[in-house]
């Protein structure tokens, strides 16, 4: 047995409204997906009345907050980054306990959240507009960025601190106030983050946290008269509902949705590198990353050898309790994910797909574990090759040549990330240009994004402007053009 960290206890009166933590009439339990009998904590269930109170608080705080110096707001974010860095183990243990992410990945995610806060803290010193030459003498013509206003932030459970960080940090730095609705099962992490931001110096009402059920709160969250914009990351189904509601209300939206990300392996690829990158991208974080590789599209001449290498690598991964240091692959995040992934496995079985490894889920009473699973020679129209499974499941698809591989890679409604393995610069450049994805890696993992560059997808994977890096300001600010005449 290795060492096992414990998730810290967090408050269960988890509604932060106008700077005070409020008790709720109802709560729900969060269980450890590796040990379903183990209670990690309870979280408050917000009501539509709580949503209205949160928007009122965000609205009241908006004017004083936008009037603070941008550099002061940046300093609060830098302080938050420091506090996150001081609490890496506690936060990582919470991620591991409530959504099953292996500690090594959980620590990486927490450090990344700190890097995101630090980056946006630094961005507070960047220019806030542009000055243009005017057609009229004696006119100063400028375009300046102003905060969007009151923003609703809705996040999924699979990156419970990094995604809130990459939405909250720019929202706050550019002077917006926020109503934050995290995913149900990741509510403990959200409470820790909100407390930490209070401690970093965020004034009352600037960030309001509502835990609870997204479906129940939808009308109140998206129909609030104070709402100026909603930034959402999650499933395509919920994203579509949010887009429709926001369009009806005339509210700005930013949606980051699902993926079915391909790795293309060409004849001159470095097989060892391709094996390592595809295995990590497909299987780590239990395949529950929007940028996970779920299709490996491999040219005929390398297919059998790469398939064997991928199977060997998948079988070497250590699957186990995410709170133990040696674990590489934890459980799925809970019963809903377990049901979704095992339904796909049963479907693959029934349709006679060629199973190369895995595919045999354990008894969910002992944790929501499935072992890394690879299907080979998958028909590109089979649901295993077309649906976002969101588990450690890889479909290997055979391609004739580079052109066929690109056609197969693009034959999807999604377009988040993609990778290509080749040692030929021309092939690399051609693939980078032709792959329909918002992020392309050459000789790298489809998963992974650095915090200072734009992130987002094309086609059904995204809508609205890019997140992260400088690109984040497109959503969180509005441009005001000011003519100062007769100077
Ligand atoms: P989800 O859509 O079920 O839930 C996301 C959030 O929406 C949660 O906070 C939930 O409470 C809330 N919600 C649910 N119904 C709602 C409604 N009707 N109105 C308002 N809010 C509602 O997604 P999930 O299962 O938490 O996350 C997994 C999904 O997220 C996957 O599809 C994955 O690809 C996607 N994802 C995308 C990215 C990206 O950057 N593109 C990153 C991570 C995850």
């Amino acid at each position: 047995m290795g060492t096992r960290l414990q998730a810290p206890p967090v408050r269960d009166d988890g509604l932060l409204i106008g700077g005070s933590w409020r008790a709720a009439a109802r709560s729900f339990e969060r269980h450890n997906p590796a040990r379903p009998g183990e209670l990690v904590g309870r979280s408050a269930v917000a009501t539509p009345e709580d949503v209205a109170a949160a928007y009122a608080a965000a609205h009241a705080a908006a004017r004083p907050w936008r009037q603070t110096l941008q550099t002061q707001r940046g300093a609060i974010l830098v302080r938050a980054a420091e506090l996150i860095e001081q609490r890496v183990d506690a936060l990582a243990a919470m991620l591991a306990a409530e959504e099953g992410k292996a500690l090594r990945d959980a620590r990486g995610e927490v450090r990344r959240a700190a890097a995101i806060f630090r980056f946006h803290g630094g961005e507070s010193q960047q220019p806030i507009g542009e000055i243009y030459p005017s057609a009229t003498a004696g006119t100063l013509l400028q375009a300046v960025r102003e905060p969007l206003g009151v923003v609703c932030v809705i996040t999924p459970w699979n990156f419970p601190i990094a995604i809130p960080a990459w939405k909250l940090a720019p929202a706050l730095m550019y002077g917006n106030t926020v109503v934050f609705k995290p995913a149900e099962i990741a509510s403990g992490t959200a409470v820790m983050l909100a407390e930490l931001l209070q401690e970093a110096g965020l004034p009352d009402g600037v960030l309001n946290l509502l835990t609870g059920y997204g479906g129940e709160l939808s009308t109140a969250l998206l129909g609030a008269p104070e709402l100026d914009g909603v930034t959402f990351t999650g499933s395509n189904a919920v994203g579509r509902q949010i887009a429709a509601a926001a369009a009806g209300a005339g509210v700005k939206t930013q949606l980051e949705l699902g993926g079915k990300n391909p790795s293309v392996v060409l004849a001159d690829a470095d097989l060892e590198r391709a094996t390592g990158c595809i295995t990590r991208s497909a299987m780590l974080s239990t395949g529950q990353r929007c940028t996970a590789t779920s299709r490996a599209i491999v040219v005929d001449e390398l297919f059998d050898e790469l398939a064997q290498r991928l199977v060997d690598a998948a079988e070497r991964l250590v699957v186990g309790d995410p709170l133990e240091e040696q674990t590489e692959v934890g459980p799925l995040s809970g019963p809903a994910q377990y049901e979704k992934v095992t339904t796909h496995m049963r479907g693959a079985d029934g349709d006679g797909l060629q199973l190369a490894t895995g595919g045999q889920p354990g008894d969910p009473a002992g944790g929501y574990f499935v072992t890394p699973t690879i299907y080979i020679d998958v028909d590109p129209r089979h649901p295993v090759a077309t649906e976002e499974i969101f588990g450690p499941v890889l479909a290997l698809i055979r391609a004739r040549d580079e052109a066929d591989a690109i056609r197969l890679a693009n034959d999807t409604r999604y377009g988040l990330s993609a990778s290509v393995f080749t040692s030929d610069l021309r092939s690399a450049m051609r693939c980078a240009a032709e792959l329909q994805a918002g992020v392309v890696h050459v000789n790298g993992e489809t998963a992974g994004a650095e915090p200072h560059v734009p992130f987002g997808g094309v086609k059904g994977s995204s809508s609205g402007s890019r997140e992260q890096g400088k690109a984040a300001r497109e959503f969180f600010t509005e441009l005001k053009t000011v003519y100062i005449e007769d100077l």
Side-chain angles (χ1 to χ4, degrees), residues 412-448:
T412 168
R413 64 180 185 277
Y414 295 110
L416 190 52
S417 67
S419 74
V420 55
F421 293 88
T422 176
S423 48
D424 179 66
L425 186 57
R426 283 199 188 90
S427 291
M429 299 298 282
R430 250 192 327 264
C431 290
E434 289 186 26
L435 285 167
Q436 295 167 353
V439 182
V440 176
H441 295 259
V442 176
N443 296 325
E445 301 180 30
T446 55

Side-chain angles (χ1 to χ4, degrees), residues 155-158 181 183-184 218 233-235 241 257-258 290 388 455:
T155 54
W157 48 264
N158 69 323
K181 160 65 189 81
E184 292 80 335
S218 195
T233 298
S235 61
Q241 290 174 32
L257 310 172
C290 52
E388 185 188 48
F455 174 79

Side-chain angles (χ1 to χ4, degrees), residues 228-242:
D228 295 303
V230 54
T231 174
F232 169 83
T233 298
S235 61
N236 282 56
V238 175
R240 268 195 297 273
Q241 290 174 32
I242 288 179

Side-chain angles (χ1 to χ4, degrees), residues 152-159 163 166-167 180-185 210 212-219 221-222 230 232-239 241-242 245 255-261 288-292 333 336-337 340 388 390 414 416 455-457 460-462 467-468:
C152 179
V153 168
I154 305 178
T155 54
W157 48 264
N158 69 323
F159 282 103
I163 292 178
W166 81 52
K167 292 181 188 295
F180 172 31
K181 160 65 189 81
E184 292 80 335
I185 62 175
L210 300 170
Y213 301 112
E216 283 183 9
L217 299 178
S218 195
T219 306
L221 281 172
L222 302 166
V230 54
F232 169 83
T233 298
S235 61
N236 282 56
V238 175
Q241 290 174 32
I242 288 179
L255 308 175
E256 287 298 340
L257 310 172
K260 189 70 190 169
N261 310 299
Q288 299 173 123
R289 292 186 282 187
C290 52
T291 50
S333 65
Q337 275 303 114
K340 185 176 175 196
E388 185 188 48
F390 227 51
Y414 295 110
L416 190 52
F455 174 79
S461 288
S462 295
E467 300 199 273
Q468 302 205 58

Side-chain angles (χ1 to χ4, degrees), residues 3-87:
T3 46
R4 189 170 184 265
L5 275 183
Q6 292 285 333
V10 296
R11 61 193 320 146
D12 52 16
D13 53 339
L15 303 178
L16 176 62
I17 299 175
S20 315
W21 289 89
R22 293 195 190 175
R26 284 190 297 152
S27 67
F28 65 93
E29 295 186 342
R30 291 174 288 112
H31 289 263
N32 182 335
R35 303 163 183 241
E38 185 180 297
L39 183 68
V40 179
R42 288 191 175 75
S43 298
V45 177
T47 62
E49 292 70 37
D50 295 320
V51 175
Y55 276 113
H59 181 67
R63 192 175 163 81
W65 181 239
R66 68 189 282 160
Q67 286 174 340
T68 56
L69 295 177
Q70 182 159 296
T71 48
Q72 275 173 358
R73 300 195 295 261
I76 293 174
L77 300 193
V78 172
R79 177 78 186 123
E82 289 163 359
L83 292 173
I84 292 172
E85 279 157 356
Q86 286 164 17
R87 293 172 200 173

Side-chain angles (χ1 to χ4, degrees), residues 336-350:
Q337 275 303 114
Y338 183 85
E339 182 53 32
K340 185 176 175 196
V341 174
T342 55
T343 299
H344 275 288
M345 287 177 171
R346 283 193 297 276
D349 217 20

